[in-house]
Amino acid sequence: DPKKALEYYTECFEIWSDLVSADHTDIRRQRDLSSIHTRLGDAKVDLSNVAEALTHYQSALLISKQLANLHPTHIAVQRDYALNSARVGNLLKATAKPTEAVIFFTDALNALKPLVEADPQNAELKRDLGGIYERMADTALGLNDATKEKKKKKKTLAISKSLAELV
């Protein structure tokens, strides 16, 4: 039940917010707060509230970006940032905003590539990186399809105009 899940996530969010307020230097608490924002966003998606989902995903991204900047060698924090960037990109892609989605997918790639280069045997990081490349490819195809569709519409319009001139 998404509504019930949202209630529980909201309660959890309030607890984690209080804990972060009490000690904003604790990385684990910050990561947990980011994670709850993600879950709240997921619940909002399930309830078809895309605008609020995006707000939560962006909040998770902001927290993880701050942590990534403060802790550039912390692999889990860097991965959180990449996955949160991809999550925002996924939602933007799903809401027909592929150009904006590419920006977030690119940020995710830029965060993951150095991690994979530093630890090429890490299958989880490689899987994450492959998933981001796949999303980039799907988005690029969508952008290409949109461009083709615009060209088709222009051709159709030109043909219609030329036919109208014949009549």
Side-chain angles (χ1 to χ4, degrees):
D1 177 16
K3 287 184 181 181
K4 198 64 172 169
L6 183 61
E7 287 178 33
Y8 293 135
Y9 288 142
T10 300
E11 290 294 325
C12 186
F13 172 77
E14 290 176 17
I15 292 167
W16 282 116
S17 292
D18 288 345
L19 289 170
V20 167
S21 294
D23 182 4
H24 65 275
T25 62
D26 187 315
I27 294 173
R28 181 72 244 161
R29 290 179 185 180
Q30 292 278 344
R31 290 181 69 212
D32 287 341
L33 183 61
S34 176
S35 177
I36 290 302
H37 271 295
T38 297
R39 291 205 169 96
L40 283 164
D42 292 345
K44 293 291 185 173
V45 167
D46 289 344
L47 294 169
S48 299
N49 190 334
V50 175
E52 286 186 33
L54 184 58
T55 298
H56 282 292
Y57 289 161
Q58 289 171 327
S59 294
L61 177 58
L62 178 63
I63 292 167
S64 61
K65 184 175 185 175
Q66 290 170 341
L67 287 173
N69 288 336
L70 289 171
H71 306 283
T73 60
H74 194 296
I75 292 172
V77 165
Q78 297 299 317
R79 182 175 180 265
D80 289 349
Y81 170 64
L83 296 180
N84 283 322
S85 291
R87 190 169 285 108
V88 171
N90 288 337
L91 189 59
L92 290 170
K93 180 179 175 279
T95 58
K97 295 178 182 165
T99 304
E100 293 93 333
V102 167
I103 294 166
F104 291 93
F105 292 145
T106 301
D107 286 347
L109 284 175
N110 291 336
L112 282 172
K113 281 182 190 177
L115 299 178
V116 171
E117 289 169 6
D119 187 3
Q121 301 306 312
N122 188 319
E124 184 176 41
L125 292 174
K126 281 185 161 181
R127 182 185 53 83
D128 293 340
L129 184 63
I132 302 301
Y133 274 118
E134 181 180 22
R135 290 179 195 127
M136 288 286 285
D138 291 345
T139 305
L141 286 174
L143 287 170
N144 189 41
D145 289 346
T147 301
K148 285 180 183 176
E149 193 60 35
K150 285 180 185 176
K151 286 181 182 178
K152 284 182 190 175
K153 286 181 182 179
K154 283 184 181 180
K155 282 183 181 180
T156 302
L157 182 60
I159 292 169
S160 296
K161 283 183 180 179
S162 66
L163 288 173
E165 290 172 2
L166 292 175
V167 177

